[in-house]
Coordinates of all heavy atoms in Angstrom, one line a residue:
M56 N -32.7 -30.7 29.8 CA -32.1 -31.6 28.9 C -31.6 -30.9 27.7 O -30.5 -31.2 27.1 CB -33.1 -32.7 28.5 CG -32.5 -33.8 27.7 SD -31.3 -34.7 28.6 CE -31.0 -36.0 27.5
K57 N -32.4 -29.9 27.2 CA -32.0 -29.2 26.0 C -30.7 -28.3 26.3 O -29.8 -28.2 25.4 CB -33.1 -28.2 25.5 CG -34.2 -29.0 24.9 CD -35.3 -28.0 24.4 CE -36.4 -28.7 23.7 NZ -37.4 -27.8 23.2
R58 N -30.6 -27.8 27.5 CA -29.4 -27.1 27.8 C -28.1 -27.9 27.8 O -27.1 -27.5 27.3 CB -29.5 -26.4 29.2 CG -30.3 -25.2 29.3 CD -30.2 -24.5 30.6 NE -31.4 -23.6 30.7 CZ -31.7 -23.1 31.8 NH1 -31.1 -23.3 33.0 NH2 -32.7 -22.3 31.9
T59 N -28.3 -29.1 28.3 CA -27.1 -30.1 28.4 C -26.7 -30.4 26.9 O -25.5 -30.4 26.6 CB -27.5 -31.4 29.1 OG1 -27.9 -31.0 30.4 CG2 -26.4 -32.3 29.2
A60 N -27.7 -30.7 26.1 CA -27.4 -31.0 24.7 C -26.7 -29.8 24.0 O -25.8 -29.9 23.2 CB -28.6 -31.4 23.9
L61 N -27.2 -28.6 24.3 CA -26.6 -27.4 23.7 C -25.2 -27.2 24.2 O -24.3 -26.8 23.4 CB -27.5 -26.2 24.1 CG -27.1 -24.8 23.5 CD1 -27.1 -24.9 22.0 CD2 -28.0 -23.7 24.0
L62 N -24.9 -27.4 25.4 CA -23.6 -27.2 26.0 C -22.6 -28.3 25.4 O -21.5 -27.9 25.0 CB -23.6 -27.4 27.5 CG -24.2 -26.2 28.2 CD1 -24.3 -26.5 29.7 CD2 -23.4 -24.9 28.0
I63 N -23.1 -29.5 25.2 CA -22.3 -30.5 24.7 C -22.0 -30.2 23.2 O -20.8 -30.3 22.7 CB -22.9 -31.9 24.8 CG1 -22.9 -32.3 26.3 CG2 -22.2 -33.0 23.9 CD1 -23.7 -33.6 26.6
T64 N -23.0 -29.8 22.5 CA -22.8 -29.4 21.1 C -21.8 -28.3 20.9 O -20.9 -28.3 20.1 CB -24.1 -29.0 20.4 OG1 -25.0 -30.1 20.5 CG2 -23.9 -28.7 19.0
A65 N -21.9 -27.3 21.8 CA -21.0 -26.1 21.7 C -19.6 -26.5 22.1 O -18.6 -26.1 21.4 CB -21.5 -25.0 22.7
A66 N -19.4 -27.4 23.0 CA -18.1 -27.9 23.4 C -17.5 -28.7 22.3 O -16.3 -28.6 22.0 CB -18.2 -28.8 24.6
L67 N -18.2 -29.5 21.6 CA -17.7 -30.3 20.5 C -17.3 -29.4 19.3 O -16.4 -29.7 18.6 CB -18.7 -31.3 20.0 CG -19.0 -32.5 21.0 CD1 -20.1 -33.4 20.5 CD2 -17.7 -33.3 21.2
M68 N -18.0 -28.3 19.1 CA -17.7 -27.4 18.0 C -16.5 -26.6 18.2 O -15.7 -26.2 17.3 CB -18.9 -26.4 17.7 CG -20.1 -27.1 17.1 SD -21.5 -26.1 17.0 CE -20.9 -24.8 15.9
V69 N -16.2 -26.3 19.5 CA -15.0 -25.5 19.9 C -13.8 -26.3 20.0 O -12.7 -25.9 19.7 CB -15.3 -24.8 21.2 CG1 -14.1 -24.0 21.7 CG2 -16.4 -23.8 21.0
S70 N -13.9 -27.6 20.3 CA -12.7 -28.4 20.5 C -11.7 -28.5 19.3 O -10.5 -28.5 19.6 CB -13.1 -29.8 20.9 OG -13.8 -30.5 19.9
P71 N -12.1 -28.5 18.1 CA -11.1 -28.5 17.0 C -10.2 -27.3 17.0 O -9.1 -27.3 16.7 CB -11.9 -28.6 15.7 CG -13.2 -29.2 16.1 CD -13.5 -28.8 17.5
V72 N -10.8 -26.1 17.4 CA -10.0 -24.9 17.5 C -8.9 -25.1 18.5 O -7.8 -24.7 18.3 CB -10.9 -23.7 17.8 CG1 -10.1 -22.5 18.0 CG2 -11.9 -23.5 16.6
F73 N -9.3 -25.6 19.7 CA -8.3 -25.8 20.7 C -7.3 -26.8 20.3 O -6.1 -26.7 20.7 CB -9.0 -26.2 22.1 CG -9.8 -25.1 22.7 CD1 -11.1 -25.3 23.0 CD2 -9.2 -23.9 23.0 CE1 -11.8 -24.3 23.6 CE2 -9.9 -22.9 23.6 CZ -11.2 -23.0 23.9
A74 N -7.7 -27.8 19.6 CA -6.7 -28.9 19.2 C -5.7 -28.2 18.2 O -4.5 -28.5 18.3 CB -7.5 -30.0 18.5
A75 N -6.1 -27.4 17.3 CA -5.2 -26.8 16.4 C -4.3 -25.8 17.1 O -3.1 -25.8 16.8 CB -6.0 -26.0 15.3
E76 N -4.8 -25.1 18.1 CA -4.0 -24.2 18.9 C -2.9 -25.0 19.7 O -1.8 -24.6 19.8 CB -4.9 -23.4 19.8 CG -4.1 -22.3 20.6 CD -5.1 -21.4 21.3 OE1 -6.2 -21.1 20.9 OE2 -4.7 -21.0 22.4
D77 N -3.4 -26.1 20.3 CA -2.4 -26.9 21.0 C -1.3 -27.5 20.1 O -0.2 -27.5 20.5 CB -3.2 -28.0 21.7 CG -4.0 -27.6 22.9 OD1 -3.9 -26.4 23.3 OD2 -4.9 -28.3 23.3
L78 N -1.7 -27.9 18.9 CA -0.8 -28.5 18.0 C 0.3 -27.4 17.6 O 1.5 -27.7 17.5 CB -1.5 -29.1 16.8 CG -0.6 -29.7 15.7 CD1 0.2 -30.9 16.4 CD2 -1.4 -30.2 14.6
C79 N -0.2 -26.2 17.3 CA 0.7 -25.1 16.9 C 1.7 -24.9 18.1 O 2.9 -24.8 17.8 CB -0.2 -23.9 16.6 SG 0.7 -22.4 16.3
A80 N 1.2 -24.7 19.3 CA 2.0 -24.4 20.4 C 3.0 -25.6 20.7 O 4.1 -25.3 21.0 CB 1.2 -24.1 21.6
L81 N 2.5 -26.8 20.6 CA 3.3 -28.0 20.8 C 4.4 -28.0 19.8 O 5.6 -28.3 20.2 CB 2.4 -29.2 20.8 CG 3.1 -30.5 21.0 CD1 3.6 -30.6 22.4 CD2 2.1 -31.7 20.7
N82 N 4.1 -27.8 18.6 CA 5.2 -27.9 17.5 C 6.2 -26.8 17.7 O 7.4 -27.0 17.6 CB 4.6 -27.8 16.1 CG 3.9 -29.1 15.7 OD1 4.1 -30.1 16.3 ND2 3.1 -29.0 14.7
L83 N 5.8 -25.6 18.1 CA 6.7 -24.5 18.4 C 7.6 -24.9 19.6 O 8.8 -24.6 19.6 CB 6.0 -23.2 18.6 CG 5.4 -22.5 17.4 CD1 4.5 -21.3 17.8 CD2 6.5 -22.1 16.4
Q84 N 7.1 -25.5 20.6 CA 7.9 -25.9 21.7 C 8.8 -27.0 21.3 O 10.0 -27.0 21.8 CB 6.9 -26.4 22.9 CG 7.7 -26.8 24.1 CD 8.5 -25.6 24.7 OE1 7.9 -24.5 24.9 NE2 9.7 -25.8 25.0
K85 N 8.4 -27.9 20.5 CA 9.3 -29.0 20.0 C 10.5 -28.4 19.2 O 11.6 -28.9 19.4 CB 8.5 -30.0 19.1 CG 7.7 -30.9 19.8 CD 7.0 -31.9 18.8 CE 6.0 -32.8 19.5 NZ 5.4 -33.7 18.5
I86 N 10.2 -27.4 18.5 CA 11.3 -26.7 17.7 C 12.3 -26.1 18.7 O 13.5 -26.4 18.6 CB 10.8 -25.6 16.8 CG1 9.9 -26.2 15.7 CG2 11.9 -24.7 16.3 CD1 9.2 -25.2 14.9
E87 N 11.8 -25.4 19.7 CA 12.7 -24.9 20.7 C 13.5 -26.0 21.4 O 14.7 -25.8 21.6 CB 11.9 -24.1 21.8 CG 11.4 -22.8 21.2 CD 12.5 -21.8 20.8 OE1 13.5 -21.7 21.5 OE2 12.2 -21.1 19.8
D88 N 12.9 -27.0 21.8 CA 13.5 -28.2 22.5 C 14.6 -28.8 21.6 O 15.7 -29.1 22.1 CB 12.5 -29.2 22.9 CG 11.6 -28.7 24.0 OD1 11.9 -27.7 24.6 OD2 10.5 -29.4 24.2
T89 N 14.3 -29.0 20.4 CA 15.2 -29.6 19.4 C 16.4 -28.7 19.2 O 17.6 -29.2 19.2 CB 14.5 -30.0 18.1 OG1 13.4 -30.8 18.4 CG2 15.5 -30.7 17.2
K90 N 16.2 -27.4 19.0 CA 17.3 -26.5 18.9 C 18.2 -26.5 20.1 O 19.4 -26.4 20.0 CB 16.8 -25.1 18.6 CG 16.2 -25.0 17.2 CD 15.9 -23.6 16.7 CE 15.4 -22.6 17.8 NZ 15.0 -21.3 17.3
A91 N 17.6 -26.6 21.3 CA 18.4 -26.6 22.5 C 19.2 -27.9 22.7 O 20.3 -27.8 23.2 CB 17.4 -26.4 23.7
T92 N 18.7 -29.0 22.2 CA 19.4 -30.3 22.4 C 20.4 -30.5 21.2 O 21.2 -31.4 21.4 CB 18.5 -31.4 22.5 OG1 17.6 -31.5 21.4 CG2 17.6 -31.3 23.8
N93 N 20.2 -29.8 20.2 CA 21.1 -29.9 19.0 C 21.6 -28.5 18.5 O 21.2 -28.1 17.5 CB 20.3 -30.6 17.9 CG 21.2 -31.0 16.7 OD1 22.4 -30.9 16.8 ND2 20.6 -31.4 15.6
P94 N 22.4 -27.9 19.4 CA 22.8 -26.5 19.1 C 23.7 -26.3 17.9 O 23.9 -25.3 17.4 CB 23.4 -26.0 20.3 CG 24.0 -27.3 21.0 CD 23.0 -28.4 20.6
I95 N 24.3 -27.4 17.4 CA 25.2 -27.3 16.3 C 24.5 -27.7 15.0 O 24.4 -28.8 14.5 CB 26.4 -28.3 16.5 CG1 27.1 -28.1 17.8 CG2 27.4 -28.2 15.3 CD1 28.1 -29.1 18.2
L96 N 23.9 -26.6 14.4 CA 23.2 -26.8 13.1 C 24.0 -25.9 12.1 O 24.5 -24.8 12.4 CB 21.8 -26.2 13.2 CG 20.8 -27.0 14.1 CD1 19.5 -26.2 14.2 CD2 20.6 -28.4 13.6
G97 N 24.1 -26.5 10.9 CA 24.8 -25.7 9.8 C 24.0 -24.5 9.4 O 22.8 -24.4 9.6
D98 N 24.7 -23.5 8.8 CA 24.0 -22.3 8.4 C 22.8 -22.4 7.5 O 21.8 -21.8 7.8 CB 25.0 -21.3 7.8 CG 25.9 -20.7 8.9 OD1 25.5 -20.6 10.0 OD2 27.0 -20.3 8.6
P99 N 22.9 -23.2 6.5 CA 21.6 -23.2 5.6 C 20.5 -23.8 6.4 O 19.4 -23.3 6.3 CB 22.0 -24.2 4.5 CG 23.5 -24.2 4.5 CD 23.9 -24.0 5.9
L100 N 20.7 -24.9 7.1 CA 19.6 -25.5 7.9 C 19.1 -24.5 9.0 O 17.9 -24.4 9.2 CB 20.0 -26.8 8.5 CG 19.0 -27.5 9.4 CD1 17.8 -27.9 8.5 CD2 19.6 -28.8 10.0
K101 N 20.0 -23.9 9.7 CA 19.7 -23.0 10.8 C 18.8 -21.9 10.3 O 17.8 -21.5 10.9 CB 21.0 -22.4 11.4 CG 20.8 -21.7 12.7 CD 22.1 -21.2 13.2 CE 22.4 -21.6 14.6 NZ 23.7 -21.2 15.1
E102 N 19.1 -21.3 9.1 CA 18.3 -20.2 8.5 C 17.0 -20.7 8.1 O 16.0 -20.0 8.3 CB 19.1 -19.6 7.3 CG 20.3 -18.8 7.7 CD 21.1 -18.3 6.5 OE1 20.5 -18.3 5.4 OE2 22.3 -18.0 6.7
Q103 N 16.9 -21.9 7.5 CA 15.6 -22.4 7.0 C 14.7 -22.6 8.2 O 13.5 -22.3 8.2 CB 15.8 -23.7 6.3 CG 16.4 -23.6 4.9 CD 16.6 -25.0 4.3 OE1 16.9 -26.0 4.9 NE2 16.5 -25.0 3.0
V104 N 15.2 -23.2 9.3 CA 14.4 -23.5 10.5 C 14.0 -22.2 11.1 O 12.8 -22.0 11.5 CB 15.2 -24.4 11.5 CG1 14.5 -24.4 12.8 CG2 15.4 -25.8 10.9
A105 N 14.9 -21.2 11.2 CA 14.5 -19.9 11.8 C 13.4 -19.2 11.0 O 12.5 -18.6 11.5 CB 15.8 -19.0 11.9
D106 N 13.5 -19.3 9.6 CA 12.5 -18.7 8.8 C 11.1 -19.4 9.0 O 10.1 -18.7 9.1 CB 12.9 -18.8 7.3 CG 14.0 -17.8 6.9 OD1 14.3 -16.9 7.7 OD2 14.6 -18.0 5.9
L107 N 11.1 -20.7 9.0 CA 9.9 -21.4 9.2 C 9.3 -21.2 10.6 O 8.1 -21.0 10.8 CB 10.1 -22.9 9.0 CG 10.3 -23.3 7.5 CD1 10.8 -24.7 7.4 CD2 9.0 -23.2 6.8
E108 N 10.2 -21.1 11.6 CA 9.7 -20.8 13.0 C 9.1 -19.4 13.1 O 8.1 -19.2 13.7 CB 10.9 -21.0 13.9 CG 10.5 -20.8 15.4 CD 11.7 -20.9 16.3 OE1 12.8 -20.8 15.9 OE2 11.4 -21.0 17.6
S109 N 9.8 -18.5 12.4 CA 9.2 -17.1 12.4 C 7.9 -17.0 11.7 O 7.0 -16.4 12.2 CB 10.2 -16.2 11.7 OG 9.7 -14.9 11.6
K110 N 7.8 -17.7 10.6 CA 6.5 -17.8 9.8 C 5.4 -18.4 10.7 O 4.3 -17.9 10.7 CB 6.7 -18.6 8.5 CG 5.6 -18.6 7.6 CD 5.9 -19.3 6.3 CE 4.7 -19.4 5.4 NZ 5.0 -20.2 4.2
A111 N 5.8 -19.5 11.4 CA 4.8 -20.1 12.3 C 4.3 -19.2 13.4 O 3.1 -19.1 13.7 CB 5.4 -21.4 12.9
K112 N 5.2 -18.5 14.0 CA 4.9 -17.6 15.1 C 4.0 -16.4 14.6 O 3.1 -16.0 15.2 CB 6.1 -17.0 15.8 CG 6.8 -18.1 16.6 CD 8.0 -17.5 17.3 CE 8.7 -18.6 18.2 NZ 9.9 -18.1 18.8
K113 N 4.3 -15.9 13.4 CA 3.5 -14.9 12.8 C 2.1 -15.4 12.5 O 1.1 -14.7 12.7 CB 4.1 -14.3 11.5 CG 5.3 -13.5 11.8 CD 6.0 -13.0 10.5 CE 7.3 -12.2 10.7 NZ 8.0 -11.8 9.5
S114 N 2.0 -16.6 12.0 CA 0.7 -17.2 11.7 C -0.1 -17.4 12.9 O -1.3 -17.1 13.0 CB 0.9 -18.6 11.0 OG 1.5 -18.4 9.7
Q115 N 0.6 -17.8 14.0 CA -0.1 -18.0 15.3 C -0.6 -16.7 15.8 O -1.7 -16.6 16.3 CB 0.9 -18.6 16.3 CG 0.3 -18.9 17.7 CD 1.3 -19.4 18.7 OE1 2.5 -18.9 18.7 NE2 0.9 -20.3 19.5
A116 N 0.2 -15.6 15.7 CA -0.2 -14.3 16.2 C -1.4 -13.8 15.4 O -2.3 -13.1 15.9 CB 0.9 -13.3 16.1
A117 N -1.5 -14.2 14.1 CA -2.6 -13.7 13.2 C -3.8 -14.6 13.4 O -4.8 -14.3 12.7 CB -2.1 -13.7 11.8
G118 N -3.7 -15.7 14.1 CA -4.8 -16.6 14.3 C -4.9 -17.6 13.2 O -5.9 -18.4 13.2
D119 N -3.9 -17.7 12.4 CA -3.9 -18.8 11.3 C -3.2 -20.0 11.9 O -2.0 -20.2 11.7 CB -3.1 -18.2 10.1 CG -3.0 -19.3 9.0 OD1 -3.7 -20.3 9.0 OD2 -2.2 -19.0 8.0
L120 N -4.0 -20.8 12.6 CA -3.4 -22.0 13.3 C -3.0 -23.1 12.3 O -2.0 -23.8 12.6 CB -4.5 -22.5 14.3 CG -4.8 -21.5 15.4 CD1 -5.9 -22.1 16.3 CD2 -3.6 -21.1 16.2
E121 N -3.7 -23.2 11.2 CA -3.3 -24.2 10.2 C -1.9 -23.8 9.6 O -1.0 -24.6 9.4 CB -4.3 -24.3 9.1 CG -5.5 -25.1 9.5 CD -6.5 -25.3 8.3 OE1 -6.0 -25.4 7.2 OE2 -7.7 -25.4 8.6
G122 N -1.7 -22.5 9.3 CA -0.5 -22.0 8.8 C 0.7 -22.2 9.8 O 1.8 -22.6 9.4
C123 N 0.3 -21.9 11.1 CA 1.3 -22.1 12.1 C 1.7 -23.6 12.2 O 2.9 -23.9 12.2 CB 0.7 -21.7 13.5 SG 1.8 -22.0 14.9
S124 N 0.8 -24.5 12.3 CA 1.1 -25.9 12.4 C 1.9 -26.4 11.2 O 2.8 -27.2 11.4 CB -0.2 -26.7 12.6 OG -0.8 -26.4 13.8
S125 N 1.5 -25.9 10.0 CA 2.2 -26.4 8.8 C 3.6 -25.9 8.8 O 4.6 -26.7 8.5 CB 1.5 -25.8 7.6 OG 2.2 -26.1 6.4
S126 N 3.9 -24.6 9.1 CA 5.3 -24.1 9.1 C 6.1 -24.8 10.2 O 7.2 -25.1 9.9 CB 5.2 -22.6 9.3 OG 4.6 -22.0 8.2
A127 N 5.5 -24.9 11.3 CA 6.2 -25.5 12.4 C 6.5 -27.0 12.1 O 7.6 -27.5 12.4 CB 5.4 -25.4 13.7
Q128 N 5.6 -27.7 11.5 CA 5.9 -29.1 11.1 C 7.0 -29.2 10.1 O 7.8 -30.1 10.2 CB 4.6 -29.8 10.6 CG 4.7 -31.2 10.4 CD 5.1 -32.0 11.6 OE1 4.5 -31.8 12.7 NE2 6.2 -32.8 11.5
Q129 N 7.0 -28.3 9.2 CA 8.1 -28.3 8.2 C 9.5 -28.1 8.9 O 10.5 -28.7 8.5 CB 7.9 -27.2 7.1 CG 6.8 -27.5 6.2 CD 6.5 -26.3 5.2 OE1 7.3 -25.4 5.1 NE2 5.3 -26.3 4.6
A130 N 9.5 -27.2 9.8 CA 10.8 -26.9 10.5 C 11.2 -28.2 11.3 O 12.3 -28.5 11.3 CB 10.6 -25.7 11.5
L131 N 10.2 -28.8 12.0 CA 10.5 -30.0 12.7 C 11.0 -31.1 11.8 O 11.9 -31.9 12.2 CB 9.2 -30.5 13.5 CG 8.9 -29.7 14.7 CD1 7.5 -30.2 15.2 CD2 9.9 -29.9 15.8
T132 N 10.4 -31.2 10.6 CA 10.9 -32.2 9.7 C 12.4 -32.0 9.3 O 13.2 -32.9 9.2 CB 10.0 -32.2 8.4 OG1 8.7 -32.5 8.8 CG2 10.5 -33.3 7.4
L133 N 12.7 -30.7 9.0 CA 14.1 -30.4 8.7 C 15.0 -30.7 9.9 O 16.1 -31.3 9.7 CB 14.2 -28.9 8.4 CG 13.7 -28.5 7.1 CD1 13.7 -26.9 6.9 CD2 14.4 -29.1 5.9
L134 N 14.6 -30.4 11.1 CA 15.4 -30.7 12.3 C 15.6 -32.2 12.5 O 16.6 -32.7 12.8 CB 14.8 -30.1 13.5 CG 14.9 -28.6 13.6 CD1 14.0 -28.0 14.7 CD2 16.4 -28.2 13.8
E135 N 14.5 -33.0 12.2 CA 14.6 -34.4 12.4 C 15.5 -35.0 11.4 O 16.3 -35.9 11.7 CB 13.2 -35.1 12.3 CG 12.3 -34.8 13.4 CD 10.8 -35.2 13.2 OE1 10.5 -35.9 12.2 OE2 10.0 -35.0 14.1
K136 N 15.5 -34.5 10.1 CA 16.4 -35.0 9.1 C 17.8 -34.8 9.5 O 18.7 -35.6 9.3 CB 16.1 -34.4 7.8 CG 14.9 -34.9 7.1 CD 14.8 -34.2 5.7 CE 13.5 -34.7 5.0 NZ 13.4 -34.1 3.6
S137 N 18.1 -33.6 10.1 CA 19.5 -33.3 10.5 C 20.0 -34.1 11.6 O 21.1 -34.5 11.7 CB 19.6 -31.8 10.9 OG 19.0 -31.6 12.2
T138 N 19.1 -34.5 12.6 CA 19.5 -35.3 13.7 C 19.6 -36.8 13.3 O 20.3 -37.6 13.9 CB 18.5 -35.2 14.9 OG1 17.2 -35.6 14.5 CG2 18.5 -33.8 15.4
E139 N 19.0 -37.2 12.2 CA 19.1 -38.5 11.7 C 20.2 -38.7 10.7 O 20.3 -39.7 10.1 CB 17.7 -39.0 11.0 CG 16.6 -39.1 12.0 CD 15.3 -39.3 11.3 OE1 15.2 -39.3 10.1 OE2 14.2 -39.4 12.0
G140 N 20.9 -37.6 10.4 CA 22.0 -37.7 9.4 C 21.5 -37.5 8.0 O 22.2 -37.9 7.1
G141 N 20.4 -36.9 7.8 CA 19.8 -36.7 6.5 C 20.5 -35.6 5.7 O 20.3 -35.4 4.5
G142 N 21.4 -34.9 6.4 CA 22.2 -33.8 5.7 C 21.5 -32.5 5.8 O 20.3 -32.4 5.9
E143 N 22.4 -31.4 5.7 CA 21.9 -30.1 5.9 C 21.4 -29.5 4.6 O 20.5 -28.6 4.6 CB 23.0 -29.2 6.5 CG 23.4 -29.6 7.8 CD 24.7 -28.8 8.3 OE1 25.1 -27.9 7.6 OE2 25.2 -29.2 9.4
G144 N 21.9 -29.9 3.5 CA 21.5 -29.4 2.2 C 20.3 -30.0 1.6 O 19.8 -29.6 0.6
D145 N 19.7 -31.1 2.2 CA 18.6 -31.8 1.6 C 17.3 -31.0 1.8 O 17.1 -30.4 2.8 CB 18.4 -33.1 2.4 CG 19.5 -34.1 2.1 OD1 20.3 -33.8 1.2 OD2 19.5 -35.2 2.8
N146 N 16.5 -31.0 0.8 CA 15.2 -30.3 0.9 C 14.1 -31.3 0.6 O 14.1 -32.1 -0.1 CB 15.1 -29.1 -0.1 CG 15.9 -27.9 0.3 OD1 16.2 -27.8 1.5 ND2 16.4 -27.1 -0.6

């Protein structure tokens, strides 16, 4: 019984790390998908998204999953604004 409780506790402690990793990877994939479906992005927006995507990938490689998710989410927000007609120069 103690082993089962220990295994369950260990699994629960590790799950937030996997969730952050999944969110990071999911957001990076969403960026790729959005860029593929909306290839006509203006230069300022394209550069901002590329910078944020690069920052997210560097954070992911360094193990900073919060930084990865944050940068990727910012890039997604910019992409969503552009597809909704929010304008390329808006920040």
Side-chain angles (χ1 to χ4, degrees):
M56 186 67 174
K57 287 184 180 182
R58 281 189 199 167
T59 304
L61 183 61
L62 288 173
I63 291 172
T64 302
L67 291 174
M68 290 175 62
V69 173
S70 64
V72 173
F73 289 124
E76 187 173 322
D77 289 346
L78 182 59
C79 173
L81 180 66
N82 283 345
L83 286 171
Q84 184 61 50
K85 283 182 183 178
I86 292 169
E87 289 297 322
D88 293 345
T89 303
K90 288 189 326 185
T92 59
N93 188 10
I95 305 171
L96 296 174
D98 283 335
L100 178 63
K101 192 180 231 179
E102 289 176 20
Q103 288 176 330
V104 170
D106 288 344
L107 287 167
E108 182 180 17
S109 175
K110 186 177 177 183
K112 288 180 179 180
K113 286 178 185 175
S114 295
Q115 182 185 36
D119 179 11
L120 299 177
E121 283 186 33
C123 173
S124 295
S125 175
S126 296
Q128 186 58 50
Q129 289 175 13
L131 285 171
T132 300
L133 289 174
L134 288 169
E135 287 172 6
K136 283 183 180 179
S137 74
T138 59
E139 293 172 358
E143 295 172 6
D145 292 351
N146 285 334

